[in-house]
Amino acid sequence: MRQMKKRVIRYLKHLALTLLVLLIAGVITLYALNGNAHYADNPQKKNWHNEGPYVFYENDTTLSVNYISGNKEMGFAVEENQQSIHAKTELSCYFNLDSSSFKFIIEADPKIPESIYEDAHKILAISDIESGYRTFRDFLIHHRVIDEKLDWIFGEGHLVLLGDFVDRGFSTTQVLWFIYMLEQKAERHGGMVHFILGNHEIKNLQGNHTKASLKYFYAAAILGKQQYELYDSTSIIGRWMASKNTVELINGHLFTHGGISPEIIPHNTSIGFINNIVRQNYRQAYYPKKDDDLEQLLISPTKGPSWYRGYFQDDLSQGDVEATLRAFNANTVVVGHTLQRKVKKMYNGKVFAIDVNHPKDYRKSWPHQESEGLLIQDGKYYRLLHDGTEIEL
């Protein structure tokens, strides 16, 4: 009996040691991949109050404005009203988690932005928010882009949103309308919001919702629609997103979600041409064609500007990076898309990587992540922390 007890104790010790080793290995792997473990959700995500608005073109003169309220137990209802397409209609967007809201004016005809900007104003860039409205809002407040009332206080500065502001979260609607509102407020003060599309915005425009929260699958059903219709050409927010660029040059800095492949250089193209070609394909899923041309390269899900990850692989040289920058008269390139532990500079300060793991509104995870961004001002570059701290790079 005593021998049996010793064997059992020895076995349990080995088992405990094995589990401890696996746990440590898991934590190290999680840290190395800049990830975190999801362990709970805020139950408020199940209660919708004035979720929306979901705004659609009914015809040439009328918009349909829709809000959803309810929950799974009590059922859902849609409040729908008609608005003139020519009226300056003010709508509000509600954020359930802290019972806050903001207002904006619907503009039925979005304008295609310029591709190149040149002035002496500061630039704040942030990337890959992934449907985290509260995180995004609070970061801008702490860095004095907006105040507590969400009014623009960044003067004539440039706010660059470097793609992937949708998917993987419960506040996609709030994030998109927030950007929509920020554009309007910035313009009134001489500032500028640059919403540069990432691969996830393009996926949504193409009807690929594999990374979207199931919330939006059910929201579309409640509205009597298919999910792709939330962002198609009959949707105000869809038409607005489809007007955006994928590459911009601002004060000598290239901004794009993924990066610029050196394979583009021999084609002797321009930033404006890149934007036009990619925009024409926003609603067309990529498939390889027999013709190996510039269009195929620009919309490729590995080499296109919203998808490229070459800066983080071993086969790209300093010379490759600098040749790409020279081709577009740029000093640096700023990218998101590829997750980093912190905002950092690479390739002797020619590449800035700003995709970090931002907190999600309704999601609890470990280790807790904090937002970061990049400030470019007076020829200097600063890593921005979530609490308003600036660290020169």
Side-chain angles (χ1 to χ4, degrees), residues 116-377:
I116 299 176
Y117 301 83
E118 187 62 48
D119 54 48
H121 303 310
K122 57 188 173 183
I123 304 170
L124 189 151
I126 187 170
S127 181
D128 295 78
I129 283 293
E130 296 181 344
S131 304
Y133 168 71
R134 182 170 64 180
T135 292
F136 180 30
R137 177 197 66 193
D138 292 354
F139 184 86
L140 296 186
I141 291 172
H142 289 147
H143 285 283
R144 300 168 295 283
V145 176
I146 56 175
D147 62 18
E148 295 283 349
K149 295 180 180 179
L150 310 187
D151 289 326
W152 183 267
I153 55 173
F154 202 52
E156 297 179 302
H158 298 271
L159 173 61
V160 182
L161 311 177
L162 210 49
D164 282 9
F165 277 65
V166 303
D167 286 351
R168 296 194 174 102
F170 250 62
S171 304
T172 300
T173 305
Q174 288 72 23
V175 166
L176 290 176
W177 285 124
F178 186 56
I179 298 170
Y180 194 93
M181 179 204 73
L182 287 171
E183 286 186 348
Q184 296 176 355
K185 292 194 171 186
E187 186 177 11
R188 294 184 202 128
H189 292 84
M192 183 79 184
V193 175
H194 307 258
F195 184 19
I196 296 172
L197 299 196
N199 60 307
H200 281 266
E201 282 86 15
I202 294 174
K203 283 182 176 183
N204 278 265
L205 291 172
Q206 293 174 347
N208 179 348
H209 303 294
T210 54
K211 298 299 182 180
S213 166
L214 276 175
K215 169 184 177 178
Y216 297 100
F217 174 78
Y218 293 114
I222 293 167
L223 295 168
K225 296 181 178 292
Q226 296 292 317
Q227 192 169 356
Y228 74 89
E229 293 179 275
L230 299 182
Y231 303 103
D232 71 7
S233 59
T234 68
S235 157
I236 282 278
I237 209 77
R239 196 177 294 189
W240 167 76
M241 273 207 302
S243 72
K244 302 304 180 186
N245 290 327
T246 48
V247 183
E248 291 187 7
L249 181 66
I250 307 172
N251 300 343
H253 308 284
L254 268 179
F255 291 90
T256 187
H257 179 67
I260 303 294
S261 168
E263 293 184 38
I264 292 175
I265 298 175
H267 293 276
N268 194 29
T269 187
S270 68
I271 297 173
F273 184 83
I274 291 172
N275 283 322
N276 288 336
I277 290 297
V278 179
R279 188 181 295 109
Q280 291 168 17
N281 287 274
Y282 277 161
R283 300 196 183 280
Q284 175 65 54
Y286 172 83
Y287 61 92
K289 299 178 182 177
K290 291 183 178 180
D291 297 330
D292 185 17
D293 58 11
L294 178 59
E295 179 176 300
Q296 284 278 285
L297 179 61
L298 293 175
I299 64 175
S300 163
T302 56
K303 298 178 181 179
S306 296
W307 306 79
Y308 182 66
R309 297 187 192 271
Y311 303 123
F312 310 95
Q313 298 171 357
D314 293 333
D315 58 348
L316 197 66
S317 69
Q318 183 75 27
D320 292 331
V321 172
E322 295 186 5
T324 303
L325 293 175
R326 284 196 300 272
F328 295 101
N329 297 316
N331 300 315
T332 60
V333 60
V334 183
V335 298
H337 190 46
T338 302
L339 191 62
Q340 308 296 313
R341 189 169 295 111
K342 61 182 181 180
V343 166
K344 65 182 182 181
K345 64 180 180 180
M346 306 166 62
Y347 294 93
N348 297 326
K350 294 298 182 180
V351 177
F352 288 83
I354 69 169
D355 175 15
V356 301
N357 205 341
H358 302 277
K360 299 293 189 291
D361 287 337
Y362 295 87
R363 179 173 175 168
K364 297 179 180 179
S365 56
W366 183 90
H368 182 67
Q369 303 292 326
E370 300 290 1
S371 291
E372 295 192 12
L374 176 72
L375 176 67
I376 304 174
Q377 185 173 16

Side-chain angles (χ1 to χ4, degrees), residues 10-82:
R10 192 161 50 246
Y11 170 77
L12 292 175
K13 287 181 177 179
H14 284 307
L15 180 61
L17 181 60
T18 300
L19 292 174
L20 179 61
V21 169
L22 290 173
L23 178 61
I24 293 171
V27 170
I28 292 172
T29 301
L30 193 69
Y31 184 77
L33 295 175
N34 305 317
N36 55 21
H38 173 209
Y39 65 86
D41 286 322
N42 189 309
Q44 280 293 98
K45 77 174 189 177
K46 298 180 180 179
N47 295 313
W48 298 2
H49 177 71
N50 286 341
E51 163 63 25
Y54 296 91
V55 188
F56 304 93
Y57 297 88
E58 286 282 286
N59 49 51
D60 293 338
T61 62
T62 308
L63 296 174
S64 170
V65 180
N66 303 265
Y67 290 92
I68 304 172
S69 294
N71 56 49
K72 184 177 179 181
E73 288 71 31
M74 302 297 293
F76 294 94
V78 178
E79 178 187 333
E80 191 264 350
N81 63 77
Q82 307 289 320

